Amino acid sequence: MLVLKSLDIDLTQSEKKTLLGFLSLYSFFTIVILFFISFLYFSFQKDLMLQKKRIMMQEYANDFVFRLKNLHINFDKYKYYPRDEKFNSAIYDSEGKLIFSTLESKDVDLDGVVYTSGSKIHFIEEPESYYLGAKYVVLEIPDDEQWLILLEKEITVFVIIAFFFMTLLGYFLLKLFLRPMKDALHLLDRFIKDTTHELNTPVSAIISNVEMIDITKLDEKLAKKIKRIDIGAKTISNIYEDLTFLTLDNKIISQNEYLDLSAITNQRVEYFRTLAEVKKLEIIANIEEKVTIFCDRKKMIKIIDNFLSNAIKYNKIKGKIIVNLRQSSLSIEDTGKGMTQEQIENLFQRYVRFDNSVGGFGIGLNIVSIIAKEYDFKIDVSSKLHEGTKMELKW
């Protein structure tokens, strides 16, 4: 993930899993390719060594066969098996039965020509005649395995250099593949920053002007229209606050202070009461007096707003929202759709939405989790399908 950090790319968990999967697959195939190349090189070098030994052992075999022929002709005179200190030998008949042997190895492959067996090298020769009844002559010399030690060093050096090169190549390929993503994210980031900057002034003006209107003095139709404007403006304002937090505020040092959480909670409940009226929701607020907390004001408001906003979005018509504020906890409970256990586990992931019929971008609870992590708050989520959800913040 260092590449992503250097490119200033913030991916979601699923995107990171996909990227890690790609890197794992790339590493796996790199190892397989290096193993395959190393095996081919090992086989080639071993064959090369055996061909060199074969030339030498062929000369030994010619001399041995000559002495075997001499013994065959003068068997009554000598009767001594032709031994040689340079190699061990054995003779086998046409059915593969041992006639005589000075070999140290017990198992011999008569179908081979030259091969290694343990720490020995064997060479098979078939004389033109069956001297002493031998069809096969087997020669054996010790293998000092110096070629193997040298080959292991060469392969180790090759694998280290090749793996480093492939890793470097993968790094640059990754940067190349991520470049379009980075450009797209920068373009999106600029668009969101410009849009949020331009939204601030008109939305604030709409909300402040609507709040100055005394709707009790208006006729019913006009009052409804003003309420709709108020609801729309507050919805846009809430989205604006989330986008601003993600693009700007979460990079600013928190201005922590002791907050009157009771007053703030009451204020936010009243702020969202207009939105709750659209669904004819009843908000029951059980707020203890003089509850204080040491936190950044904007971030605390952001947590309460997201809890209330979700309780409204995912509630049923004429449902209830129960707000409980205690000295060490704040809980907001709705009577809405509820969630499955799998949905709860993915609740705080960015851009995750479980119901596309309601608004939002799926960033609100991700913001809440970021703030909770900063202040070491604990968030408990309990939910039942078709009954509702309870979000509880503890400090």
Side-chain angles (χ1 to χ4, degrees):
M1 296 299 109
L2 291 176
V3 181
L4 303 178
K5 195 173 181 180
S6 65
L7 292 174
D8 196 22
I9 294 177
D10 184 18
L11 301 180
T12 64
Q13 287 296 323
S14 60
E15 289 169 334
K16 286 179 181 176
K17 283 183 181 177
T18 303
L19 195 56
L20 283 174
F22 166 77
L23 290 175
S24 300
L25 198 62
Y26 177 83
S27 301
F28 173 74
F29 280 114
T30 298
I31 292 172
V32 169
I33 291 171
L34 290 179
F35 177 80
F36 181 68
I37 293 174
S38 300
F39 176 75
L40 290 180
Y41 183 71
F42 173 82
S43 300
F44 173 76
Q45 290 296 325
K46 184 179 178 181
D47 287 344
L48 192 62
M49 182 276 296
L50 288 175
Q51 291 307 315
K52 290 178 180 177
K53 295 291 183 183
R54 179 178 181 176
I55 295 172
M56 179 184 71
M57 295 182 79
Q58 182 66 62
E59 293 177 0
Y60 292 165
N62 292 339
D63 180 62
F64 179 78
V65 170
F66 175 79
R67 286 190 281 169
L68 195 66
K69 179 181 178 181
N70 189 36
L71 177 62
H72 179 83
I73 297 171
N74 303 290
F75 189 76
D76 294 338
K77 183 178 181 182
Y78 296 109
K79 296 183 181 179
Y80 293 107
Y81 182 78
R83 301 171 189 271
D84 195 308
E85 62 181 11
K86 295 191 293 293
F87 56 86
N88 298 322
S89 61
I91 53 178
Y92 290 80
D93 65 12
S94 59
E95 296 179 353
K97 291 183 179 180
L98 179 64
I99 299 174
F100 190 84
S101 173
T102 62
L103 301 179
E104 294 183 11
S105 299
K106 302 298 180 185
D107 298 325
V108 174
D109 181 13
L110 297 177
D111 294 327
V113 177
V114 58
Y115 61 90
T116 60
S117 175
S119 60
K120 305 294 180 185
I121 299 175
H122 290 130
F123 176 73
I124 313 299
E125 173 71 354
E126 295 185 32
E128 67 276 10
S129 298
Y130 289 10
Y131 301 123
L132 299 179
K135 182 182 180 182
Y136 302 101
V137 171
V138 180
L139 268 59
E140 177 190 82
I141 61 173
D143 181 8
D144 59 10
E145 297 185 341
Q146 289 299 314
W147 65 276
L148 184 60
I149 296 171
L150 180 63
L151 195 56
E152 286 176 348
K153 289 180 180 177
E154 289 178 353
I155 290 176
T156 302
V157 172
F158 164 74
V159 168
I160 292 173
I161 294 174
F163 189 77
F164 176 77
F165 174 76
M166 294 296 284
T167 303
L168 201 63
L169 179 64
Y171 174 81
F172 285 106
L173 282 176
L174 186 61
K175 287 187 71 173
L176 185 66
F177 291 149
L178 289 176
R179 182 65 60 186
M181 186 188 297
K182 179 190 173 188
D183 293 341
L185 288 174
H186 275 297
L187 185 63
L188 181 62
D189 187 53
R190 282 187 55 189
F191 172 75
I192 291 173
K193 285 180 179 176
D194 292 344
T195 304
T196 50
H197 178 72
E198 296 299 327
L199 275 174
N200 185 27
T201 303
V203 171
S204 299
I206 293 170
I207 292 175
S208 58
N209 280 280
V210 168
E211 287 176 348
M212 287 188 289
I213 297 174
D214 186 359
I215 59 174
T216 58
K217 296 180 179 179
L218 304 176
D219 62 76
E220 187 178 349
K221 286 186 178 179
L222 186 56
K224 283 184 178 178
K225 291 178 182 177
I226 295 298
K227 277 189 176 181
R228 291 193 195 104
I229 294 172
D230 187 31
I231 291 168
K234 285 179 177 176
T235 302
I236 296 172
S237 177
N238 201 36
I239 295 172
Y240 162 79
E241 293 291 341
D242 284 347
L243 293 175
T244 304
F245 182 89
L246 285 178
T247 56
L248 298 174
D249 285 355
N250 62 334
K251 296 179 180 177
I252 297 175
I253 298 173
S254 299
Q255 302 295 321
N256 296 326
E257 58 182 320
Y258 284 101
L259 304 174
D260 184 350
L261 192 56
S262 301
I264 292 174
T265 306
N266 272 315
Q267 181 192 29
R268 302 322 295 173
V269 168
E270 290 307 313
Y271 180 84
F272 279 90
R273 199 174 288 280
T274 310
L275 295 175
E277 288 175 0
V278 176
K279 285 189 170 182
K280 299 178 180 178
L281 301 175
E282 179 186 2
I283 300 181
I284 302 170
N286 304 312
I287 300 173
E288 282 190 10
E289 297 294 329
K290 298 181 180 179
V291 176
T292 59
I293 190 169
F294 189 72
C295 185
D296 182 277
R297 183 181 184 84
K298 288 184 178 178
K299 292 182 178 179
M300 195 66 226
I301 289 175
K302 183 52 55 189
I303 291 176
I304 300 172
D305 285 3
N306 274 295
F307 281 179
L308 284 170
S309 175
N310 284 333
I312 294 171
K313 282 180 187 175
Y314 299 101
N315 216 325
K316 61 184 179 183
I317 303 295
K318 295 182 180 180
K320 293 181 181 178
I321 297 174
I322 303 167
V323 180
N324 289 311
L325 177 65
R326 302 288 181 261
Q327 288 298 327
S328 59
S329 68
L330 168 68
S331 69
I332 296 178
E333 185 175 358
D334 65 61
T335 55
K337 302 176 180 179
M339 294 179 289
T340 63
Q341 185 60 36
E342 183 182 357
Q343 289 173 327
I344 292 174
E345 289 172 1
N346 298 314
L347 190 60
F348 297 101
Q349 288 188 24
R350 188 177 295 184
Y351 307 127
V352 172
R353 296 170 59 194
F354 304 123
D355 189 348
N356 292 325
S357 64
V358 299
F361 301 101
I363 58 177
L365 289 178
N366 179 253
I367 292 173
V368 170
S369 68
I370 293 172
I371 299 172
K373 187 177 180 181
E374 179 182 349
Y375 290 96
D376 201 23
F377 293 157
K378 183 181 179 184
I379 302 174
D380 287 338
V381 183
S382 56
S383 183
K384 288 185 180 179
L385 278 176
H386 313 301
E387 292 185 17
T389 301
K390 180 180 179 181
M391 306 287 292
E392 186 170 15
L393 183 75
K394 296 179 179 178
W395 56 89

